[in-house]
Every structure is written in structure tokens, then in C-alpha cells.
Amino acid sequence: MSAAPTVLSARGLVMRFGGITATNNVTLDLKKGARHALIGPNGAGKTTLINLLTGVLEPTEGSITLEGLDITRLAPHQRVHRGMVRTFQINQLFDTLTPLQTLALTVSQHRRLGTRWWPSLGSNQAVAERCEVLLEQFHLTDVMNQPTRVLAYGKRRLLEIAIALACEPRVLLLDEPVAGVPAGEREELLQTVAALPADVSVLLIEHDMDLVFSFANRMTVLVNGTVLTEGDPEQIANDPQVKAVYLGHGEEAHG
């Protein structure tokens, strides 16, 4: 991985809320095509770090670059247009729209064709074709005309990732993609995450260690807002510090 160029780089990120330091001098490099997991116990500062990377928060100190461009002060939507897209831990979808309508709207907006999905879907062949590909890729074809509110939760998470991919990201931040998904719906989701395009660099935030160790080729461990260590999955699984603060004694099988 070291030979791959860095697409997203955080340098010395600090985030203070009053007297509390939520992110403490965090440095992180996401390589091109990476499958990089960010892990740590509750309260480690993972969500704060993602909010800094995506522009929801502005850091107290430090800088963020995307493909060599300083984006530290850019608004979230500007980062999306530059190729960084995030999914959310808590599902954020239009309940009354169908998956087909939702994706058509997203593709149309991304291609700056306006915010109405119906003319784009009816008259723009490129939008229709892109939606068809996404629906198939994310196992949504069978439910594409159902209102989102009636979809199984696993399908809603798949739709959320499909929306992110519709924005044609070069960097994708996956925020706990299997959170709340029932066991019976997880396999489809796990397979879809594993099959994400190789040219998309992925930063995964996840508590599910089975997913983390099956997906990631690089891992950063965050504790109390500070980077504890970083390495490949085998190094992390066998790191005494990580075992002590996070993995516990039941994770040795991942080594």
C-alpha cells in the first residue's frame, strides 16, 4: 500500500469543544484504492474525526487535503463535488420516494441537471442507465418501485450506499454501514461493501470486528481522540495495546 498515492490526508487535527479535546493531533493518510478502517471504543472520537473530514466541523487546528488540494475550510457540499462522499450511521432517506426515484434525483443533481427526477428519468438516457446499474449493483431492482419507508432496514442501508456511489466518489466514508441491520439481512450488505469499485478509496468506521477484519487492509485505532496505533489487520489483531483497550480477549481468532 505504501506505493499508492495518498488521496485524503489529515495533518495534526485538533477539535476542542470548550475545555474538551475531542480530537487530539490526529494524522491520517488514506491511500488510493484503500480499504481503511477507523476503529476504537465508544467515545474515541471517530464521529468527530469524520465530521472534520467531511466539513461538518471546522478543526481548531490542523489541515485536510483531498488529492493535494487543501479542503480544510470547504463546505460539505463542496467536498462532495470534489469527490468525497459520506454515508451516515443513522439512515437519512426520503421515505416517500422509491429507490429508483431517489437515485434518479441523486444522479441528476450530481450531473447538475436540476433537482427534479422525473424529466431526467424520462428523457435522459444516461441518468436512466446509471440508475439501472446502481439498482442492480446494490440488489435493489426487486424493490425499486416501492416507497423507501416500507423497505427492510438492510435494503435501506444498501440504498444509502448506492446514493453515495451515485455521486461518483473517489473517497467514500462509510459510517457504520451494518449498524442496526438484522442478522438475516447482513450478508447481502457485507457482500456489496466487499464489492465496491476498486478505484474508490474507502474509510470505514465500524464496531463490527468481523466486518472490519474481512474488509480492511489498513486500520487506524483511535482512543480518547488520539491515534493509538496503525497497521495492517494482522498487526492490529496482535497488538497488546489494542487488545487491552479495545479488542478484548475474544478477538484473537482474527490474528
Side-chain angles (χ1 to χ4, degrees), residues 151-255:
L151 299 185
Y153 195 65
K155 291 289 189 185
R156 291 170 67 95
R157 299 311 301 238
L158 284 167
L159 176 57
E160 191 185 14
I161 302 173
I163 291 167
L165 259 287
C167 297
E168 300 175 18
R170 293 183 295 282
V171 173
L172 177 62
L173 307 181
L174 285 179
D175 194 349
E176 298 198 32
V178 297
V181 177
E185 300 174 37
R186 289 164 65 92
E187 189 56 38
E188 193 173 52
L189 190 57
L190 296 176
Q191 289 175 1
T192 304
V193 168
L196 287 169
D199 61 339
V200 177
S201 308
V202 181
L203 182 61
L204 170 75
I205 306 93
E206 184 54 69
H207 282 292
D208 186 308
M209 287 296 102
D210 289 328
L211 171 56
V212 166
F213 278 93
S214 65
F215 177 81
N217 51 29
R218 191 81 184 161
M219 298 170 70
T220 298
V221 183
L222 210 59
V223 176
N224 295 325
T226 302
V227 174
L228 177 70
T229 187
E230 186 178 302
D232 62 38
E234 186 174 0
Q235 289 171 319
I236 297 301
N238 293 303
D239 188 301
Q241 291 185 93
V242 177
K243 287 182 180 180
V245 302
Y246 187 47
L247 292 179
H249 301 294
E251 301 291 345
E252 280 82 355
H254 290 298

